[in-house]
């Protein structure tokens, strides 16, 4: 009890399960934690932001999240952020949907001293027929679904999925 399939055999490193469902088959692999190579983290920003990981900066409106990100972007593009890339200017891919690039984000990055030639605004190319749209409210779940369909019946209800639950 409490052990993955195959754990009774000392030579087995893990187990796998295959689901040949409608998505073409997914494969679940179980790996013993004892076989995972442990190593110390590398820090993009010393002891605050791990390298190679997605980092979320949550908080209520008006506490300075966007200004902090403008400052971080400036430090990275100038090579002045204490951490892995100190002394090495690095490009930044900046994804933002709430503020205007012309009126808010661009001027903030400029004021923070970012090297604007090393900042890349990321946008979604909506030219392809099948991208996902997402929407909802903080308290009542958020949903995602296809932007269009090629069928005459439109987008069915079961094509939508929950991306986050409400609080």
């Amino acid at each position: 009890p409490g052990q993955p399939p195959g754990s009774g055999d000392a030579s087995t490193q893990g187990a796998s399960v295959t689901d040949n469902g409608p998505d073409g088959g997914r494969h679940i692999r179980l790996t013993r934690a004892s076989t995972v190579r442990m190593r110390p983290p590398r820090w993009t920003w010393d002891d605050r932001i791990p390298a190679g990981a997605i980092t979320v900066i949550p908080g209520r409106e008006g506490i300075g999240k966007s200004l902090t990100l403008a400052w971080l972007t400036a430090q990275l593009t100038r090579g002045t952020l204490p951490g892995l890339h100190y002394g090495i200017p690095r490009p930044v891919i900046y994804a933002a949907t709430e503020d205007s690039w012309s009126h808010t984000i661009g001027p903030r990055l400029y004021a923070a001293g970012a090297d604007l030639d090393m900042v890349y605004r990321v946008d979604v190319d909506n030219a392809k027929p099948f991208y996902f749209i997402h929407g909802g409210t903080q308290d009542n779940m958020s949903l995602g679904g296809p932007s269009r369909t090629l069928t005459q019946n439109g987008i069915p209800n079961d094509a939508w999925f929950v991306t986050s639950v409400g609080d």
Side-chain angles (χ1 to χ4, degrees):
Q3 295 184 358
S7 63
D9 178 2
S11 65
T12 303
Q13 293 299 309
S16 64
V17 178
T18 300
D19 169 17
N20 291 318
D23 295 335
R26 290 176 272 184
H27 188 79
I28 298 172
R29 182 179 22 223
L30 303 176
T31 304
R32 288 194 181 122
S34 62
T35 66
V36 175
R37 183 177 147 226
M38 293 183 212
R39 51 194 175 153
R42 297 172 348 142
W43 298 100
T44 296
W45 183 12
D46 280 344
D47 298 323
R48 290 179 179 88
I49 298 178
I54 294 175
T55 301
V56 177
I57 300 178
R60 296 185 63 88
E61 67 280 346
I63 64 169
K65 296 179 303 292
S66 296
L67 292 175
T68 299
L69 292 175
W71 177 84
L72 277 170
T73 299
Q75 301 303 303
L76 280 165
T77 60
R78 297 291 179 191
T80 56
L81 187 68
L84 182 64
H85 305 296
Y86 183 80
I88 307 166
R90 301 291 299 180
V92 171
I93 298 172
Y94 203 107
T97 58
E98 291 183 6
D99 292 320
S100 162
W101 272 85
S102 300
H103 298 114
T104 307
I105 298 170
R108 282 182 181 166
L109 292 170
Y110 177 79
D115 179 346
L116 299 180
D117 286 330
M118 294 189 74
V119 179
Y120 295 88
R121 172 184 169 181
V122 63
D123 288 310
V124 174
D125 180 358
N126 294 333
K128 301 244 179 206
F130 298 107
Y131 61 91
F132 287 104
I133 56 174
H134 300 272
T137 63
Q138 177 181 348
D139 296 327
N140 298 317
M141 293 198 284
S142 294
L143 299 172
S147 61
R148 354 180 160 167
T149 182
L150 296 177
T151 68
Q152 294 179 355
N153 298 328
I155 300 170
N157 289 337
D158 61 1
W160 292 88
F161 51 90
V162 174
T163 58
S164 66
V165 296
D167 55 0

